[in-house]
Amino acid sequence: MKKALISLSIALALTGMVGCQSSPQQVNQQADQFTTQISFEQFSTQFIDDLWQLSPTWAMYNGKHINDGYLEIPNQANRDKTLAFINTQRGWLKTFNQQTLSASNLIDYQLINNLLNKLDWQITTFKSWQWDPSNYNVAGGFAQIINEDFAPLDQRLASVVARLENVPAYYQAARDNINDPTLTHTQLAIQQNRGAFSVLNDELVQKVNDSGLSNEQKALFQQRFTSAIKAINEHIDWLLALETKLKAEGSRDFRIGAELYEQKFALDIQAGMTAKQLFEKAVADKNRVQAEMAKITATIWSKYFDIPKPTDDKKAIRLLIDKLSAKHVKRDEFVEEVRKQIPELIKFVNDKNLITLDLNKPLVVRETPEYMRGFAGASISAPGPYDKGGNTYYNVTPLDHMSNESAESYLREYNHWILQVLNIHEAIPGHYTQLVYANESPSLVKSLFGNGAMIEGWAVYTERMMLEEGYGNFEPEMWLMYYKWNLRVIANTILDYSIQVNGMGEEEAIALMENEAFQQRAEAEGKWRRATLSQVQLTSYYSGYREIYDLREELKLKQGEAFNLKQFHEQFLSYGSAPVKYIKQLMN
């Protein structure tokens, strides 16, 4: 088969020679290049297959069901196996001459290389498998099997039975790994592992009892289910004792410091600049956006106040935002209001011809599952490229767990205007739309190993693009709230770097978010928590947004009247979730 493919590549090269009268030397170079492209594409396909064999759970999350019944045990043997895989794949990469690869394949080469470097770094340098107990939770894999209709129920339940076998060993390995953990990640692990019982529950037991599984399978399920529940409870008890000890004796700082931060930024963001440079850019942008907000405030102040506008611009902006924020949905209607807005966004995108939407790919708004709560109030769970027809879930956390005071603060943050911006970001034409396009990319590498800055940056870019195209009827209130939201994106970068590298404390961080980014107290407290649980990810929004917006403006200037916004969007998204700097190369 390989020989036939190489022969085909030479034939194609020779066919091309006839029209352009290439020299024999050029013909040989073209043949070599075609052979290299096919060889690299064979390698990338084999790389993905080998990766899924190494981590079938990762494959399952991407819609590739090769061994759903196997739960990997996160022990030293597993890490050694991963490092051996990395070394083998690096050896294969060295056999390719990057100068002979096509632009698209060169980007795939760089993405694979970056992924290998990241996996290596996570195991040998970052070592969050030691200090972050929230890495360990079995619920997600079981939920994926139970809730996604990718196969007959009996087949999926058989995988559940098989997967349950390793749950006790999984949690034993977790406890063996955990060493000098942070308090914040320990507390998150407690919350999320308690949420596992929303998946492994009586409803699952009833499904198995009512299924077509054999009596032997049902008996094995009951035995393994009982052992799994016991293992999870034992682990939670162990975590609770650990939490008590950490509170009494002190714990590891959740801050990772400048050196690790720069390394993680380079691997995660791939932005062509350092974290410090992005931080400095964000500080400058913060001042620019605040100036735009001051202009809008001056224009509409008299519409809402009978008193003179304060001379302090930030004070005036804060007063106007507080006034407008009182307009929000009722607490118990929050999730339903999100559902209602999705058709309106679809209609606007179609009417303005901004991008082609594939409405055959379902978007389901749901309450965030309990095992996923505690990190973000809204998120997207999308199917991978192997399961293109699967549901994309827009997870929205209801406010029933909040006090009245906290719920009101939260609703004022996600008020009438900002809730619309949030839905643009998460759904149409933000994350949901981008991830549907990513699944259609001819390059599985770009679709599967997506760049977080590109993914988040696209969602942030669409917020501004929609308003520029007239969403909200150019209402100044909408623009003011958009700038407030955009300022939060900018502040995310400032906040994350300041906390993780510069040692910023909670009160100073909340003051930044409240006084400089005009956020509500509940939102500021939630963002502080998020910044203690993650590193670098908060910078991805701003980094990707600036790169995408700047690329669009560059092409508009270059192409003039020939520039077409819909064409730009669809071409940009056609390359999958590659880093923006690589997409820019392809588009140019």
Side-chain angles (χ1 to χ4, degrees), residues 54-266:
L54 179 73
S55 181
T57 298
W58 193 359
M60 179 170 60
Y61 277 118
N62 282 285
K64 186 72 169 178
H65 301 279
I66 57 173
N67 195 1
D68 292 352
Y70 181 70
L71 173 64
E72 302 99 303
I73 300 172
N75 53 19
Q76 186 60 49
N78 186 272
R79 290 189 289 277
D80 289 342
K81 187 178 177 182
T82 301
L83 291 172
F85 166 82
I86 292 167
N87 289 332
T88 299
Q89 300 303 325
R90 281 174 170 165
W92 280 108
L93 277 180
K94 289 178 181 177
T95 66
F96 294 100
N97 181 352
Q98 296 182 52
Q99 295 181 344
T100 65
L101 294 176
S102 68
S104 180
N105 281 345
L106 180 59
I107 291 173
D108 284 0
Y109 179 103
Q110 292 164 329
L111 286 172
I112 291 172
N113 189 52
N114 187 79
L115 175 63
L116 294 172
N117 291 339
K118 186 173 178 179
L119 291 172
D120 189 346
W121 178 82
Q122 287 172 336
I123 293 173
T124 62
T125 302
F126 195 52
K127 298 183 178 179
S128 63
W129 52 272
Q130 290 182 334
W131 52 261
D132 180 1
S134 69
N135 279 327
Y136 306 108
N137 190 336
V138 299
F142 284 104
Q144 196 76 11
I145 297 171
I146 296 164
N147 298 331
E148 296 301 317
D149 192 20
F150 57 85
L153 178 60
D154 285 356
Q155 182 179 327
R156 288 183 282 126
L157 290 177
S159 294
V160 169
V161 175
R163 193 174 184 84
L164 283 169
E165 180 181 14
N166 281 351
V167 172
Y170 176 98
Y171 280 112
Q172 183 58 59
R175 292 191 289 277
D176 291 342
N177 289 341
I178 295 169
N179 178 40
D180 190 23
T182 76
L183 176 61
T184 54
H185 291 96
T186 302
Q187 292 170 330
L188 179 63
I190 293 168
Q191 177 185 350
Q192 292 190 333
N193 274 284
R194 282 173 170 164
F197 298 122
S198 67
V199 179
L200 301 176
N201 54 21
D202 292 341
E203 183 180 347
L204 173 60
V205 173
Q206 191 62 47
K207 281 184 178 180
V208 172
N209 289 338
D210 295 341
S211 73
L213 296 184
S214 68
N215 290 334
E216 291 80 4
Q217 286 175 305
K218 290 178 180 179
L220 185 59
F221 165 79
Q222 191 58 57
Q223 174 192 332
R224 290 178 174 177
F225 181 81
T226 301
S227 296
I229 297 301
K230 180 183 176 183
I232 296 170
N233 277 318
E234 286 177 349
H235 188 66
I236 292 171
D237 290 342
W238 184 84
L239 288 171
L240 288 168
L242 178 61
E243 179 191 26
T244 300
K245 179 181 177 182
L246 295 176
K247 285 181 176 179
E249 301 176 7
S251 67
R252 177 194 185 105
D253 192 349
F254 61 81
R255 298 172 178 85
I256 64 173
E259 183 177 358
L260 285 176
Y261 193 93
E262 285 288 358
Q263 292 171 3
K264 194 171 195 295
F265 181 86

Side-chain angles (χ1 to χ4, degrees), residues 270-520:
Q270 303 178 72
M273 70 180 84
T274 67
K276 186 176 181 181
Q277 289 170 333
L278 183 70
F279 167 74
E280 292 168 348
K281 187 179 180 73
V283 171
D285 242 3
K286 173 177 72 72
N287 297 330
R288 179 189 61 80
V289 170
Q290 287 174 342
E292 292 296 325
M293 296 176 77
K295 291 178 185 177
I296 295 173
T297 300
T299 302
I300 63 174
W301 178 266
S302 60
K303 181 178 176 180
Y304 294 96
F305 296 100
D306 295 328
I307 58 174
K309 182 178 76 69
T311 55
D312 183 332
D313 284 339
K314 289 180 185 176
K315 183 178 180 181
I317 293 169
R318 164 59 76 185
L319 287 171
L320 182 55
I321 286 174
D322 284 346
K323 183 81 170 179
L324 295 174
S325 296
K327 185 177 181 180
H328 60 68
V329 68
K330 293 179 181 178
R331 173 178 179 163
D332 58 356
E333 296 175 0
F334 185 72
V335 178
E336 186 57 36
E337 180 62 26
V338 171
R339 287 194 182 97
K340 286 169 57 179
Q341 289 186 13
I342 302 303
E344 298 170 10
L345 294 173
I346 292 172
K347 184 177 186 305
F348 182 86
V349 169
N350 288 335
D351 288 348
K352 292 289 185 176
N353 202 28
L354 300 178
I355 190 169
T356 302
L357 299 175
D358 185 352
L359 300 181
N360 293 318
K361 306 295 171 59
L363 174 63
V364 179
V365 179
R366 68 174 181 183
E367 294 188 2
T368 306
E370 289 186 29
Y371 66 89
M372 292 175 60
R373 297 184 188 184
F375 185 73
S379 65
I380 286 287
S381 298
Y386 299 111
D387 187 24
K388 298 175 183 179
N391 291 339
T392 296
Y393 292 105
Y394 182 0
N395 307 304
V396 184
T397 303
L399 311 186
D400 48 17
H401 65 294
M402 292 186 177
S403 66
N404 291 334
E405 182 181 3
S406 294
E408 177 62 20
S409 178
Y410 189 88
L411 289 167
R412 290 177 67 86
E413 182 68 30
Y414 292 94
N415 56 57
H416 168 75
W417 294 276
I418 286 185
L419 186 57
Q420 296 174 69
V421 180
L422 173 69
N423 292 330
I424 291 171
H425 178 104
E426 297 290 348
I428 310 287
H431 283 319
Y432 160 74
T433 304
Q434 185 268 320
L435 292 168
V436 168
Y437 270 81
N439 281 349
E440 299 301 326
S441 170
S443 164
L444 271 179
V445 171
K446 296 183 185 69
S447 297
L448 290 167
F449 312 124
N451 174 256
M454 181 274 177
I455 294 168
E456 293 296 353
W458 169 263
V460 175
Y461 160 78
T462 61
E463 300 160 11
R464 183 180 181 96
M465 180 273 294
M466 289 280 280
L467 265 66
E468 288 176 337
E469 294 303 308
Y471 184 83
N473 298 316
F474 300 102
E475 183 185 27
E477 290 85 350
M478 174 65 92
W479 273 97
L480 180 69
M481 288 298 181
Y482 160 75
Y483 278 127
K484 173 185 180 296
W485 179 266
N486 188 242
L487 192 57
R488 184 170 77 164
V489 168
I490 297 167
N492 280 349
T493 293
I494 299 171
L495 182 75
D496 200 59
Y497 190 87
S498 297
I499 291 172
Q500 292 289 338
V501 176
N502 296 337
M504 177 182 279
E506 182 174 6
E507 287 307 312
E508 188 181 357
I510 288 178
L512 167 70
M513 290 180 277
E514 285 189 316
N515 302 331
E516 295 290 317
F518 312 108
Q519 295 177 22
Q520 294 291 323

